[in-house]
Every structure is written in C-alpha cells, then in structure tokens.
Amino acid sequence: MSQSQTTCPFTGATSTPTSASSPSEQPFREAPSADWVTIEDLYKNPFPIYQRLREESPVHWVPEVNRYMVTSYSACHEIEQDEARFSANERNSLMKRSMGHSMLRKDNPEHQVDRDSYGATLRPATIKKHWNEIFAANNKKYLDQLIERGPGADFVWDYAAPYTAENLRLICGFHNSTQQDLQRWSQTLIDGTGNYADDPEVWARAEASSAEVDAAIDDMLPYLAATPDHSLLSNLASMPIPLEAIRANLKMTIGGGLNEPRDVLATTVWALLSNPDQLDAVLQDPSLFARAFEESVRWVAPIGMYPRETTQELVLEGVRLPAGARLGVVLGAANRDPKVFSEPETFNIFREKKPHLAFGGGVHFCAGTWIARAQVAQIALPELFRRLPQLQLDPRSASTDAGWVFRGMTKMPVVWES
Ligand code: HEM
C-alpha cells in the first residue's frame, strides 16, 4: 500500500484522498446511512432528527433526500470555507433548471463577476443613505394594513410577507410589477428548486414565473439605463453582464430575498411573544432587537439546508466522501450544535455571543445580510412593538411553522387590545 492510502477500519477498504488538506493519514469510515429519515418528518419538525444525526455522525447518507447530510457546525463551516473541494456548481441542479445559472451555483472566478455586478445596492452605506427611509415607509403602510384588519389578522400574510415583498420589489427595481407578483414569483421559483418529485405542474408554474420575470427585466433595463436609481437592475443596466446572468441572478434573489426576511420577522415575533421575560427586556432596551434577530436566525435558520458537491474524494470529519458526492449543508442543524451553543434548542437572546451560520460563509456569504438586518431588526421590530405594545399570539387559533430547506411560520394569528 502506498503511503498516502488509508484503510477504512470498518470495511478494510483502502482509499487515496487527493487533497493536500485531506487528513490522509487519519483513519476514516464510510458515511452511515440514515434510512429512517423521511422528508415528511423533516418538513414537520427537523430538529429532533438533526439531534440524532449529529449525535451519531457529522455526515450521513440520507437515501430519501438523495444526499449526504452534513449536520455538525465544524463540518458545515469547513465546507463553506473551502470552495476548491466543495463546489457550489452542482450538476443536475434543480435550482439551475428553475432559475438559470446564478452566482449561487457558480465557483470563482465566474461567481465573483456576478457578485460584483450587484454594485453597492445591498451594502450598509446605501442602506443607511437610501433604503432605510423606504423600508420605514413600507413598514408603516403594511402595519396600518395589519391594524386595519384588526385582532385575529395573520401576522405572516397580512404584514410580514407584503412588507418584505414590497422592499424586495424596490431593491430589485421592478417598478413595473407589484409586491403580489414578487410573492408569486418567489414561491413558484422556490418550488421549482425543490421539485425532486419532478411534478410537471410545479415546473409549469415555475416556468410561467420565469417568463414573467424575464419580460419584466426586459422592460425595466432600458428604462433604468435612462433613469438610474439605487436598484440592482439599475446597476446591471450599465454593466457588461450577459442578459442570461442578469435573469438568473435576479430570479435567485427573488427566491432568496423574500422568504427569509419574512420568516425571520415572524419567527422572532413568535419567539418574543412566547418568552415574555425576553420581550420585556427588549421593550426596555430596544437595542436588544438586534440580538433577538441574531438569536432567531440561529434558532431557526430560514435557509435550513443548501447544496454543495465534492470536487474530489476526501475525508470530512473522519467520514469518506467520493468525488462528485452531493451534499446538503444543514445550517439548521449546525446552528443547534451543542459543541458550540449551550442549550441550543432554547431561544435565548442573552446567550453567549458566538457566530451562527444562518447567512452561510466563505465566498457565497449572503449578499443581503445587511438588508435583512435593517428591514427586520432596525425598522420593523421596534416600530411594531411601539405601535402594538399589547401584541399577543391569538389564544383561540394556534400558530403553525413548517419546512426544513426553508423554515418559517406558515400561520400566525395575532391579537391586541384595539
Ligand atoms: C434573514 C434573511 C436571509 C438569510 C438567512 C439568508 C441566507 C443566505 C444564505 C445561507 C446564503 C448562502 C447560500 C449558499 O451558500 O448556497 C445566501 C446567499 C445570498 N443571499 Fe441571502 N439570506 C437572507 C436575506 C437575503 C436578502 C434580503 C437578499 C437580497 C435582497 C439576499 C441575497 C442573497 C444573495 C444575492 C446571495 C448569493 C451570494 C453569492 O452567491 O455570492 N439574501 N443567503
């Protein structure tokens, strides 16, 4: 046996990991198969499943998901930091089919060209100078709408969804579309990226939205070239970026920039209303809204899992992975890893500050992180509780949450003294 070969202590098989950074001298084992995991159970409540997976091994082969699921914090972090061994450019990607080949499924140097094309739109200085005022106006409009609907209104669908959709519409520069269009596009394109069952109706809806987005972009680009503003499309109108990339990147941003702020807004409010002592603390000291936001995305990562593919045979935390292995980087599990977070299943805004992985990491670190923090933690949460200090979850109608690839509240009736 050559020096670089390693022997699996369980099967006796030999392997030659090719990366210099692979622990080729260390023993490794094959990924255990978690055939007890079902998509139905993950969708209802993935957290007990993640607990068991993490305890058994940092990496499992999960037949029902048709991927290796990576659940420990350290393994997820290692993947994020190493795009040479863990490519975002997954083969047979449903996201590419649904939305086109966006920056999220490209590796560098191609990825960086697309990422740079977004210019200053999503950066903190532009948010401060330009977007915060717009977010505040949108927040007023949709809070008014919630209050008009009266006690029993649904926090998610009467407020959080239209508010975040309207913000995203303006950030993108779709002056020819409505926030309802953005919500429809976002959901149907996301459904396409998760269409593992290959349902033709799901593809038909995703394709219809894709065509609508293409038409809206074609319509806006010449207008914004002549009348520039701070939007993404306005930047792109003056850049030598192929139309195909503009379309794919916008569709990915529509899919990724709406659900997550909507979900973190609703989850944070649900968690605060369910923990009155923490709510009191935040009401006494509104600077704690920022901590509530970060704890919320740690506790329930709005993007629970994203894909990567190995570029070579390698060993990840003692588990051998073949070249071309399809991985699910399970942020929802990493963010509750007890090796990093004490009492990880509990929502606690006072926990010791440690970096969570909810916004990803490495070259694909979320480009909208500062937009999400601004619209939710700085604008929406303080104003919501200022106007509705007696806000409560409706005791007559239970809230529901669901999802694992994306997770959030699906129904959240609220009441207040009117
Ligand atoms: C709480 C809210 C949000 C969360 C938790 C979140 C999470 C993430 C994560 C985990 C990734 C990396 C995925 C991967 O590596 O495969 C990502 C990428 C991205 N996000 Fe977000 N996101 C949020 C809000 C937003 C918003 C509001 C926007 C835009 C307005 C946005 C735009 C993007 C873009 C453009 C990328 C791709 C970055 C790249 O490939 O370089 N996100 N996001």
Side-chain angles (χ1 to χ4, degrees):
M1 190 172 81
S2 80
Q3 257 201 329
S4 62
Q5 281 185 327
T6 49
T7 305
C8 172
F10 301 103
T11 63
T14 55
S15 162
T16 313
T18 49
S19 159
S21 57
S22 293
S24 56
E25 299 307 320
Q26 292 171 19
F28 62 81
R29 60 177 182 146
E30 301 299 323
S33 176
D35 52 7
W36 50 273
V37 174
T38 67
I39 288 179
E40 199 187 339
D41 289 345
L42 282 167
Y43 186 79
K44 277 191 224 145
N45 180 6
F47 296 114
I49 297 172
Y50 295 161
Q51 257 176 317
R52 178 170 162 193
L53 288 174
R54 262 190 329 253
E55 277 164 18
E56 288 178 6
S57 172
V59 185
H60 283 81
W61 170 251
V62 183
E64 176 133 338
V65 178
N66 199 21
R67 279 179 194 280
Y68 292 89
M69 285 176 74
V70 181
T71 47
S72 78
Y73 182 101
S74 50
C76 290
H77 186 59
E78 184 176 338
I79 292 171
E80 287 179 339
Q81 301 304 320
D82 188 352
E83 67 162 344
R85 294 195 304 156
F86 301 99
S87 169
N89 191 3
E90 192 187 47
R91 284 168 299 160
N92 303 320
S93 153
L94 294 181
M95 183 188 225
K96 283 192 222 164
R97 175 166 171 191
S98 181
M99 301 177 175
H101 198 173
S102 74
M103 68 176 94
L104 203 51
R105 291 286 155 271
K106 291 182 183 173
D107 296 323
N108 279 342
E110 292 80 14
H111 156 266
Q112 198 61 44
V113 176
D114 283 16
R115 175 113 182 190
D116 291 346
S117 75
Y118 267 24
T121 300
L122 306 178
R123 296 203 189 128
T126 315
I127 295 170
K128 209 165 155 195
K129 255 198 274 169
H130 183 68
W131 295 120
N132 276 344
E133 199 182 323
I134 291 172
F135 295 163
N138 291 340
N139 190 45
K140 179 176 178 332
K141 176 172 171 181
Y142 290 104
L143 257 184
D144 286 348
Q145 178 178 294
L146 180 79
I147 291 167
E148 244 169 61
R149 297 257 153 102
D154 192 304
F155 187 86
V156 181
W157 304 111
D158 292 327
Y159 167 61
Y163 165 60
T164 49
E166 180 64 357
N167 289 345
L168 189 66
R169 184 179 77 79
L170 298 170
I171 291 164
C172 290
F174 285 115
H175 303 300
N176 52 359
S177 312
T178 63
Q179 58 88 4
Q180 289 88 346
D181 292 330
L182 269 281
Q183 287 198 56
R184 188 180 64 260
W185 295 343
S186 181
Q187 196 53 55
T188 48
L189 290 169
I190 286 176
D191 290 345
T193 68
N195 191 13
Y196 292 101
D198 210 17
D199 181 337
E201 283 179 22
V202 171
W203 284 127
R205 284 193 291 272
E207 280 157 19
S209 287
S210 183
E212 284 182 42
V213 175
D214 289 347
I217 291 174
D218 290 350
D219 190 30
M220 285 314 303
L221 283 176
Y223 172 84
L224 287 166
T227 329
D229 63 15
H230 294 274
S231 67
L232 293 173
L233 278 170
S234 179
N235 283 330
L236 291 160
S238 60
M239 282 199 187
I241 296 285
L243 183 59
E244 200 189 343
I246 295 179
R247 288 173 165 179
N249 286 325
L250 261 291
K251 284 172 207 166
M252 178 272 290
T253 304
I254 292 167
L258 197 160
N259 285 18
E260 293 82 350
R262 176 196 74 201
D263 291 344
V264 65
L265 177 49
T267 301
T268 311
V269 170
W270 187 91
L272 287 173
L273 295 178
S274 306
N275 291 278
D277 50 333
Q278 296 185 51
L279 177 60
D280 278 352
V282 172
L283 294 179
Q284 298 290 321
D285 175 6
S287 74
L288 291 174
F289 279 120
R291 289 192 72 161
F293 174 96
E294 299 304 328
E295 172 62 355
S296 173
V297 291
R298 180 205 66 82
W299 188 54
V300 181
I303 295 185
M305 184 183 90
Y306 64 73
R308 288 292 185 269
E309 191 173 295
T310 56
T311 58
Q312 57 193 257
E313 184 183 16
L314 52 85
V315 175
L316 178 63
E317 295 217 327
V319 178
R320 187 192 76 87
L321 291 170
R326 287 156 66 83
L327 311 183
V329 181
V330 190
L331 301 183
N335 272 355
R336 291 190 180 201
D337 188 335
K339 289 199 179 112
V340 179
F341 303 101
S342 61
E343 296 188 33
E345 306 297 324
T346 310
F347 176 85
N348 176 10
I349 62 170
F350 300 112
R351 70 172 54 253
E352 189 190 342
K353 274 192 197 167
K354 294 205 176 147
H356 58 70
L357 301 182
F359 290 109
V363 302
H364 293 281
F365 179 74
C366 174
T369 305
W370 303 276
I371 289 277
R373 287 183 177 139
Q375 62 177 318
V376 175
Q378 288 167 32
I379 307 284
L381 292 172
E383 187 61 7
L384 169 75
F385 285 105
R386 190 188 69 76
R387 290 188 62 186
L388 295 173
Q390 306 300 328
L391 191 70
Q392 286 174 31
L393 297 170
D394 189 339
R396 293 157 311 169
S397 178
S399 300
T400 52
D401 55 352
W404 63 291
V405 176
F406 295 92
R407 187 165 179 88
M409 308 303 301
T410 47
K411 174 183 158 208
M412 192 173 140
V414 284
V415 292
W416 60 90
E417 276 175 30
S418 53

